[in-house]
Amino acid sequence: MASSSNFMAPPPKMNKTSSMNSLRKTLGLKKTSNGELSMVPSRPMVSPTLSSPLGGSGAAPLEKDYHSLEYRLTHGHWRIFNSKSVFGNKDSSVLVFDKKSNVKAPPKLGKSKTYSMFDLIKYETQQLMGLIHPRILHMEHNLEETKDYFSFATEQIYGNLENIVTDDSIDRLEIKLGVLQIIDGMSYLHNSAKMLHGNLTPDAIYVTATKTWKIGGFSFAVNAKEPNCYPCYPWTKKLPPCLQPDLDFLAPENLASGQTTVTSAADVFSLGVLICWIYAGGKRLIDAKSNLETYHIVVGQLDAALQCISNELGPNLKDSMAKVLSLDVEVRPTVQLLSLIKHFDDSCLSALRQLDDIAQVFDPSQKSHFLSQTLNAAIPHISETVWFNRVLPRFNEQLLELPEMYYSITKPLFHILEHCESHNIHKMKPWIRKLMEATTHNKLLRSFILENMSALFRRLSDEFVEDKCLDVIILSLKSEDTSLQSSAVRGLPHVAEYLPISFITKKLLPTIMCLPPFLHENVPRQLDLLAALAALSDRCDIANVALLFGCISLCNSSHPVIVHAKSRIVQRLVMRDPNRLKDAQLFCVHLLNPLITGLSCKDLSIFTCAHFDDILSSVRILLDVLEQRRYEMEDRQEHKQSNHHLGLNRLGNRRVSMSSTNLPRVMISAARPSFSSDSRKMSFLSADGRLEDRGSRRESRDSRGSLESDMSIRIGNGSDISDDSCFSSHSAKGRRQSWLDGYGHSVSLEQNTNGFLETTSRNLGDRNSINFKQRNARASERRARTRSPNAELDPHREQPPARPNSFTNLGHNIVLTYRNLLYKDHT
């Protein structure tokens, strides 16, 4: 074959007005710099868009069977065009040889018939037509000869090996896989076809559209005369190099004096030289430049040549190549043994090889097991380049029309979607759409998608897929199949943040209200639903929270884990937006009542101390919110009355509450960190005015690791706010102390403000100052409810004298009242 160094530089582009005769002239032979004729035609930059892709007025090659020919590349002495078949519009390649590029043997050889390239081309295509194997280039149309061309058609060809191996972006796993594909093809030739290739060079390897490396170039292939005995023809200077095998890839025994036969070891030597060429990035191990003397010198120094590329080969492959390239034929391993060396012992490589041959697996269960288990386990260890260069094309080629295999490839596809770069996501859309369309008739596929739907919303951004997801959720919830209902409910927490508000309020929550038969006396299902409702609560506003509370009431089990789950929902509601709890009757019926009832259940012993305190804290939160709503209602009524009447009446009738009007706000600010990962505890004001941390009053007992404890933690933001085991009592005390410091500072500010108001009232002697002082006393009484006795944490800090706290002692309230009345009489 002619080497690529003999190619002429491409001619300049031809414009549309150029004459066709001048274009045809560019296809003729031209002289090189040394005056020799090039063995192949020069390569045009752009293929003319006329009846003939090669120019001229003649008919295009194979025009009856193929159309839309477009120039792709030059490979050896063939010019390759992309095309489409007339029947089926299938992508194919048409290989064309211009007869003007023919090379003939010198007539002085004494042959009756002149030996030329025409003979090699006819022999090559004849041999190729008779070989059917996945690793041999598939020929779709026989050789056809016209006045100007030889042409035949094959499966679509992507490129040549030289361009592939010199590409820096190619993954090493792809190189290993390609080499193994060549080894598989050679094994078929030696063991089944009983054929010696005779010229295994880079020009003999074709890379198809599916990135499979396939063997062609059978111009010098010979069949065995006897088992493992093939005829051998000497290499001579009398013939042009393009009419003989490539000397750089020829085994030494082919050049031995008097040698008439060789074994398959000759192909093994050629394969070894080709492998070294591949791993060296296209550098020839033997570069004799068609000179026999140079060839023998280099072959005698192959050990040194291997050492030069040892880094590219690696230790395992280098040791094997030393045997493959041995001058002793008996030392060389067979092709089958070469595929078993340690260099190719790779689970990912094995999975990709099986995927290439998936079409040859006819047992559906075996095929399904490979896709869902073996391939899925290998996918995380395969690079993204290989995902889109080999795995996805194999799916498109072999599995696109097999809906029964869709569930088996769902896991690999979702892993690729989750972890691929954003610029590759669009390549996944056709497959995801196919999967969504198949969910109607495939129960297993629908269950998997329901539980992994969040990836579709986060990564894909496809309206068609999103609409299908919403339909699948509703259809599954309405299904009579409990497994589909369970999958839909379990998947809701992961997609709640992506669902449209209108879908939640108009379709989802009303559909959930129809689930009582599914939930009846089934604690795990009710717990799954509460987890979903906790996530959906973040999306509900005041207008539709009533429907959410109704869905919560569907989980009517008194089991401790259900009670604790509802407690976590209460805390989540208060944390996100407590204003949604405006309807006191609504949250008392659906939230407060179940919590109080749950605290009195017989299975109370199942609770850990932490869980019990957590539920009790939620009850207190709801009670304080209820009290706050009551005070707000009183305030609105009192604003309609006079300020004087307001002060006397309210001071005389107000009961001593367990908390102040500001307590819900204080509690929320103190409890907010407890929903984060630091597991901080919730603090409350006790009846005697002390700030107590109910989680740190007593150490929780060791968790029994029960199902209830594990499942109840699933509600909320993902952290157990009441588990004392996650931090020591010392750290808890430190956190509580730091909160009290800030709280004491706020109380001191209120006392300073109060002192200023009292001083001002003494300086005013009229009736207005008395009314002002009464209002101030009322305000002071309300502020005193939130005052902590720990406000004076630093004994050395100068502070104005603090008056008695009305919340800590009822007597203080009475003394304060009488003092104000006496002061009024004095003035």
Side-chain angles (χ1 to χ4, degrees):
M1 298 289 181
S3 64
S4 58
S5 61
N6 291 331
F7 289 172
M8 293 298 296
K13 285 188 178 180
M14 305 293 293
N15 54 39
K16 292 184 179 180
T17 60
S18 299
S19 65
M20 301 311 302
N21 291 333
S22 62
L23 180 61
R24 295 189 65 181
K25 289 181 180 180
T26 62
L27 300 175
L29 298 176
K30 291 189 177 182
K31 291 185 177 181
T32 61
S33 58
N34 57 7
E36 297 178 355
L37 289 177
S38 173
M39 299 299 112
V40 292
S42 56
R43 168 180 169 181
M45 294 296 292
V46 179
S47 174
T49 57
L50 298 172
S51 60
S52 173
L54 300 178
S57 58
L62 307 179
E63 65 174 355
K64 294 182 180 179
D65 300 290
Y66 297 90
H67 64 91
S68 304
L69 269 67
E70 179 182 354
Y71 175 77
R72 175 70 183 177
L73 74 155
T74 297
H75 189 80
H77 52 266
W78 293 105
R79 301 184 65 202
I80 302 176
F81 294 82
N82 290 338
S83 64
K84 290 185 178 294
S85 61
V86 173
F87 180 76
N89 205 36
K90 179 182 176 182
D91 290 329
S92 304
S93 289
V94 174
L95 284 73
V96 180
F97 177 79
D98 190 349
K99 287 187 175 182
K100 291 183 179 180
S101 302
N102 184 33
V103 178
K104 297 180 180 180
K108 62 182 179 180
L109 290 179
K111 292 187 177 181
S112 58
K113 184 179 179 181
T114 304
Y115 180 57
S116 68
M117 289 284 293
F118 293 173
D119 300 305
L120 291 179
I121 288 173
K122 293 177 182 178
Y123 182 79
E124 175 185 358
T125 53
Q126 181 184 359
Q127 295 288 81
L128 187 60
M129 179 60 73
L131 298 172
I132 306 297
H133 189 266
R135 302 295 178 258
I136 305 298
L137 185 65
H138 176 60
M139 191 172 178
E140 295 182 351
H141 193 284
N142 291 334
L143 182 69
E144 189 174 287
E145 182 179 1
T146 65
K147 179 182 177 181
D148 299 317
Y149 312 112
F150 281 108
S151 57
F152 70 100
T154 68
E155 59 184 305
Q156 189 175 22
I157 297 173
Y158 169 77
N160 58 28
L161 196 57
E162 184 174 3
N163 292 338
I164 296 297
V165 300
T166 56
D167 186 359
D168 293 335
S169 64
I170 187 171
D171 192 88
R172 192 171 181 87
L173 184 62
E174 289 188 88
I175 294 179
K176 287 183 179 181
L177 183 60
V179 171
L180 278 178
Q181 290 169 347
I182 297 175
I183 292 176
D184 289 344
M186 295 302 298
S187 178
Y188 161 75
L189 291 178
H190 292 173
N191 299 314
S192 300
K194 307 298 181 183
M195 179 183 290
L196 187 77
H197 189 279
N199 191 36
L200 194 61
T201 68
D203 285 340
I205 307 300
Y206 294 82
V207 182
T208 65
T210 57
K211 305 298 178 65
T212 304
W213 296 10
K214 297 195 175 185
I215 301 175
F218 291 92
S219 298
F220 302 97
V222 291
N223 294 320
K225 292 182 176 181
E226 298 176 1
N228 199 24
C229 183
Y230 304 91
C232 168
Y233 303 100
W235 199 94
T236 175
K237 297 179 181 179
K238 297 178 182 180
L239 281 176
C242 63
L243 297 180
Q244 302 181 83
D246 193 329
L247 183 60
D248 293 343
F249 292 86
L250 206 58
E253 56 265 29
N254 283 279
L255 305 178
S257 177
Q259 188 80 19
T260 58
T261 61
V262 293
T263 65
S264 58
D267 268 354
V268 173
F269 183 91
S270 300
L271 177 60
V273 177
L274 178 61
I275 291 175
C276 292
W277 179 87
I278 292 172
Y279 278 86
K283 298 177 183 178
R284 295 196 173 209
L285 188 67
I286 303 173
D287 191 6
K289 301 186 184 301
S290 302
N291 187 293
L292 286 173
E293 291 76 12
T294 305
Y295 173 84
H296 289 297
I297 293 173
V298 176
V299 167
Q301 301 174 356
L302 283 180
D303 291 341
L306 280 176
Q307 189 63 34
C308 294
I309 59 171
S310 59
N311 292 335
E312 289 83 355
L313 295 177
N316 294 326
L317 185 59
K318 178 179 175 294
D319 294 341
S320 300
M321 288 299 101
K323 297 179 180 179
V324 169
L325 299 176
S326 173
L327 300 181
D328 186 354
V329 176
E330 301 298 329
V331 176
R332 298 176 199 165
T334 62
V335 174
Q336 299 95 308
L337 292 178
L338 193 58
S339 64
L340 301 177
I341 64 176
K342 190 175 182 180
H343 178 74
F344 298 116
D345 185 12
D346 188 338
S347 59
C348 295
L349 186 61
S350 175
L352 291 177
R353 292 184 69 188
Q354 293 180 62
L355 182 61
D356 285 339
D357 299 330
I358 192 70
Q360 302 176 30
V361 180
F362 301 103
D363 185 359
S365 60
Q366 184 179 353
K367 186 182 295 186
S368 176
H369 181 272
F370 164 73
L371 294 171
S372 60
Q373 302 296 327
T374 307
L375 181 62
N376 185 56
I379 281 291
H381 308 288
I382 298 175
S383 68
E384 183 174 344
T385 303
V386 180
W387 288 348
F388 292 99
N389 284 350
R390 291 194 177 271
V391 176
L392 209 60
R394 295 301 177 276
F395 287 175
N396 297 335
E397 179 184 357
Q398 306 291 346
L399 304 173
L400 196 59
E401 304 302 327
L402 296 177
E404 63 273 14
M405 292 290 112
Y406 282 4
Y407 173 69
S408 302
I409 62 174
T410 303
K411 290 181 180 180
L413 284 175
F414 268 68
H415 181 89
I416 294 174
L417 177 63
E418 279 274 19
H419 298 89
C420 70
E421 296 291 339
S422 57
H423 63 272
N424 284 324
I425 291 179
H426 71 279
K427 300 176 183 177
M428 302 295 300
K429 287 186 178 181
W431 263 111
I432 299 300
R433 290 190 174 196
K434 280 281 187 181
L435 296 180
M436 295 306 301
E437 292 172 354
T439 54
T440 307
H441 309 290
N442 194 321
K443 174 183 171 182
L444 293 175
L445 178 61
R446 192 196 301 187
S447 296
F448 180 87
I449 289 180
L450 284 169
E451 297 182 9
N452 298 272
M453 195 176 287
S454 61
L456 303 181
F457 284 98
R458 284 187 291 103
R459 301 282 288 166
L460 208 57
S461 299
D462 188 309
E463 292 185 3
F464 173 82
V465 173
E466 292 177 1
D467 291 341
K468 277 287 186 181
C469 287
L470 301 183
D471 294 339
V472 167
I473 291 174
I474 298 302
L475 289 176
S476 300
L477 289 174
K478 291 181 178 180
S479 173
E480 296 181 358
D481 191 324
T482 56
S483 63
L484 287 177
Q485 290 177 312
S486 296
S487 297
V489 172
R490 286 195 299 268
L492 283 176
H494 307 293
V495 298
E497 60 180 307
Y498 308 108
L499 301 179
I501 295 296
S502 58
F503 171 78
I504 294 176
T505 57
K506 296 180 180 179
K507 291 186 177 181
L508 183 57
L509 292 180
T511 303
I512 292 176
M513 290 296 294
C514 301
L515 291 179
F518 168 74
L519 301 170
H520 182 64
E521 295 183 355
N522 194 307
V523 174
R525 292 177 184 175
Q526 292 187 18
L527 193 61
D528 288 335
L529 180 60
L530 287 175
L533 294 175
L536 292 172
S537 67
D538 299 339
R539 308 294 310 282
C540 295
D541 53 18
I542 299 176
N544 48 50
V545 74
L547 192 56
L548 177 72
F549 288 168
C551 294
I552 294 175
S553 293
L554 296 178
C555 304
N556 52 14
S557 173
S558 59
H559 195 280
V561 297
I562 300 299
V563 178
H564 185 254
K566 291 183 178 181
S567 167
R568 301 297 293 269
I569 292 180
V570 169
Q571 296 170 4
R572 190 162 182 160
L573 285 168
V574 175
M575 278 289 301
R576 297 282 179 169
D577 184 9
N579 291 326
R580 291 179 292 179
L581 301 177
K582 280 191 173 182
D583 192 330
Q585 182 179 1
L586 194 65
F587 73 73
C588 284
V589 171
H590 295 289
L591 299 178
L592 182 59
N593 184 47
L595 293 182
I596 295 176
T597 305
L599 288 175
S600 62
C601 68
K602 296 180 180 179
D603 296 332
L604 195 61
S605 59
I606 298 179
F607 283 121
T608 63
C609 292
H611 290 162
F612 180 81
D613 286 345
D614 194 31
I615 298 173
L616 202 58
S617 299
S618 299
V619 171
R620 287 193 174 97
I621 290 175
L622 292 178
L623 290 176
D624 292 326
V625 172
L626 183 63
E627 184 183 26
Q628 178 72 19
R629 298 293 178 250
R630 173 68 179 179
Y631 290 165
E632 289 175 356
M633 182 182 67
E634 289 181 3
D635 288 341
R636 287 194 295 269
Q637 293 176 353
E638 290 173 355
H639 277 304
K640 299 178 182 179
Q641 303 175 4
S642 64
N643 290 337
H644 177 70
H645 178 69
L646 174 66
L648 293 179
N649 182 45
R650 196 169 172 204
L651 184 60
N653 294 334
R654 176 65 60 85
R655 64 181 173 85
V656 178
S657 170
M658 65 173 285
S659 64
S660 70
T661 57
N662 289 330
L663 184 54
R665 176 182 60 80
V666 175
M667 282 194 335
I668 293 170
S669 62
R672 186 175 300 274
S674 66
F675 287 87
S676 62
S677 59
D678 64 358
S679 302
R680 194 172 297 176
K681 303 301 176 230
M682 185 178 294
S683 301
F684 295 90
L685 290 175
S686 62
D688 61 354
R690 289 183 291 105
L691 189 70
E692 48 179 312
D693 188 330
R694 301 193 184 276
S696 60
R697 273 189 312 161
R698 59 178 183 269
E699 295 295 331
S700 62
R701 292 185 293 273
D702 292 337
S703 174
R704 286 173 292 205
S706 62
L707 172 66
E708 292 81 0
S709 298
D710 294 336
M711 298 175 72
S712 63
I713 292 174
R714 292 160 56 183
I715 306 297
N717 289 340
S719 62
D720 189 349
I721 65 170
S722 301
D723 189 2
D724 288 338
S725 62
C726 62
F727 67 103
S728 64
S729 60
H730 175 73
S731 62
K733 181 178 179 181
R735 289 178 181 143
R736 185 170 69 254
Q737 184 70 19
S738 63
W739 187 90
L740 288 173
D741 289 340
Y743 187 74
H745 177 66
S746 64
V747 171
S748 67
L749 292 178
E750 289 183 1
Q751 290 175 344
N752 291 335
T753 305
N754 186 47
F756 169 76
L757 294 175
E758 289 183 353
T759 304
T760 304
S761 65
R762 290 194 186 97
N763 296 333
L764 297 178
D766 54 4
R767 182 175 180 180
N768 292 335
S769 65
I770 297 175
N771 292 336
F772 178 84
K773 190 166 61 176
Q774 291 174 348
R775 290 195 301 271
N776 178 37
R778 193 163 58 248
S780 300
E781 181 269 338
R782 182 175 291 182
R783 282 194 302 273
R785 293 176 182 269
T786 61
R787 189 171 299 147
S788 169
N790 295 305
E792 298 178 2
L793 295 175
D794 186 0
H796 302 291
R797 184 175 58 187
E798 292 186 3
Q799 293 182 353
R803 59 183 211 174
N805 192 329
S806 61
F807 183 66
T808 60
N809 196 322
L810 180 60
H812 285 231
N813 290 333
I814 298 174
V815 171
L816 179 62
T817 303
Y818 277 104
R819 191 189 70 173
N820 289 338
L821 293 176
L822 292 175
Y823 181 79
K824 176 182 177 181
D825 293 339
H826 258 312
T827 56

